[in-house]
């Protein structure tokens, strides 16, 4: 898949690792990064695999590139440059894991919020300081964060500039586990291994139905289950389970 110099991509049979690498800007997300991540999304929409996103040099992503953000005007905001990307990341067919080491601020934090799973190193720091710069976090924090941690804490992060450390993020449920920095990549792979051990179609449909509109249930659940009840993997996996239990 085509990428920019600011991304390192490791493609495997069941997963793709994407590492943000713009050390001169602490992995700030610029237009080239957005374009490259869209290319990654296009490849994963065509050939669904787990996506693992991480940073480099002890930083996940410090947010948008402020020098370039300063130049953006009204039409840029209405184009939804980052928000459109993060919606696409969230809608990828297979689960997305954000492995957060060090700072994840602004747009960097919003990228992490778009993931299905967030795991952190002990050095992780997450926050949305956009209002201190005269803007708002408009790429998902104002609605995803409330769902993730609840309204009171979300407002403290967005309106009062609070930054959560790794333990605080774990307590709030924003991340599901905390690891030493040199163990974070292995932890992300271990989580991806657990996901990959399950039936890919069942995993894809479970994610799709999980995010369906409230009024789509239970019909969406029933339709997905109907498809899976006829799938070869269902018969193979259930037969193997019964054989292990000595019931066939």
């Amino acid at each position: 898949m085509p990428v920019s110099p600011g991304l390192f991509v490791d493609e495997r049979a069941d997963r793709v690792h994407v590492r943000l690498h713009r050390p001169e800007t602490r992995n700030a997300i610029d237009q080239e990064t957005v374009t490259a991540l869209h290319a990654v999304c296009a490849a994963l929409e065509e050939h669904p695999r787990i996506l693992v996103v991480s940073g480099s040099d002890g930083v996940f992503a410090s947010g948008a590139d402020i020098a370039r953000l300063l130049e953006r005007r009204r039409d840029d905001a209405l184009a939804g440059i980052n928000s459109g990307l993060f919606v696409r990341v969230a809608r990828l067919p297979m689960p997305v894991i954000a492995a957060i080491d060090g700072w994840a601020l602004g747009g960097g934090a919003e990228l992490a919020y778009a993931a299905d799973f967030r795991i952190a190193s002990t050095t992780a720091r997450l926050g949305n300081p956009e209002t201190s710069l005269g803007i708002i976090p408009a790429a998902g924090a104002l609605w995803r964060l409330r769902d993730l941690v609840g309204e009171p804490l979300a407002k403290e992060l967005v309106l009062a500039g609070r930054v959560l450390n790794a333990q605080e993020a774990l307590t709030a449920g924003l991340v599901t586990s905390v690891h030493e920095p040199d163990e974070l990549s292995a932890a992300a792979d271990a989580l991806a291994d657990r996901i990959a051990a399950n039936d890919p179609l069942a995993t894809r449909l479970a994610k799709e139905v999980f995010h369906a509109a409230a009024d789509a249930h239970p019909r969406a659940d029933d339709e997905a289950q109907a498809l899976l009840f006829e799938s070869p993997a269902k018969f193979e996996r259930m037969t193997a389970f019964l054989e292990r239990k000595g019931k066939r």
Side-chain angles (χ1 to χ4, degrees), residues 78-91:
L78 294 176
I81 295 170
N82 283 4
S83 62
L85 170 64
F86 299 161
V87 165
R88 193 174 187 182
V89 168
R91 290 178 178 170

Side-chain angles (χ1 to χ4, degrees), residues 14-17 48-53 92-98 115-119 176 187-207 237:
D14 60 2
R15 72 199 64 173
V16 173
H17 281 246
R49 284 167 286 174
I50 300 161
L51 173 62
V52 180
V53 182
L92 285 172
M94 289 292 281
V96 179
I97 301 168
D116 298 288
F117 301 92
R118 284 160 298 281
I119 63 174
T176 55
D189 268 323
L191 176 54
D193 288 342
R194 296 202 302 274
I195 298 168
N198 298 321
D199 174 47
L201 179 59
T203 300
R204 288 171 57 187
L205 289 175
K207 175 176 175 176
R237 285 173 175 263

Side-chain angles (χ1 to χ4, degrees), residues 152-176:
L153 182 55
K155 284 183 174 178
E156 192 170 1
L157 289 167
V158 171
L159 303 180
R162 180 176 174 183
V163 174
L164 300 181
N165 63 32
Q167 187 57 50
E168 290 169 333
L170 181 64
T171 300
L174 187 55
V175 303
T176 55

Side-chain angles (χ1 to χ4, degrees), residues 29-104:
I29 299 172
D30 64 355
Q31 182 59 59
E32 288 77 14
T33 304
V34 169
T35 300
L37 287 173
H38 272 297
V40 170
C41 288
L44 293 176
E45 290 160 354
E46 179 70 21
H47 180 194
R49 284 167 286 174
I50 300 161
L51 173 62
V52 180
V53 182
S54 64
S56 56
D57 296 329
V59 177
F60 180 73
S62 61
D65 190 325
I66 302 301
R68 299 195 181 186
L69 195 60
L70 179 63
E71 300 171 359
R72 291 183 180 174
R73 305 301 292 266
R74 176 182 182 277
D75 288 346
D76 297 307
L78 294 176
I81 295 170
N82 283 4
S83 62
L85 170 64
F86 299 161
V87 165
R88 193 174 187 182
V89 168
R91 290 178 178 170
L92 285 172
M94 289 292 281
V96 179
I97 301 168
I100 306 163
D101 187 26
W103 294 102

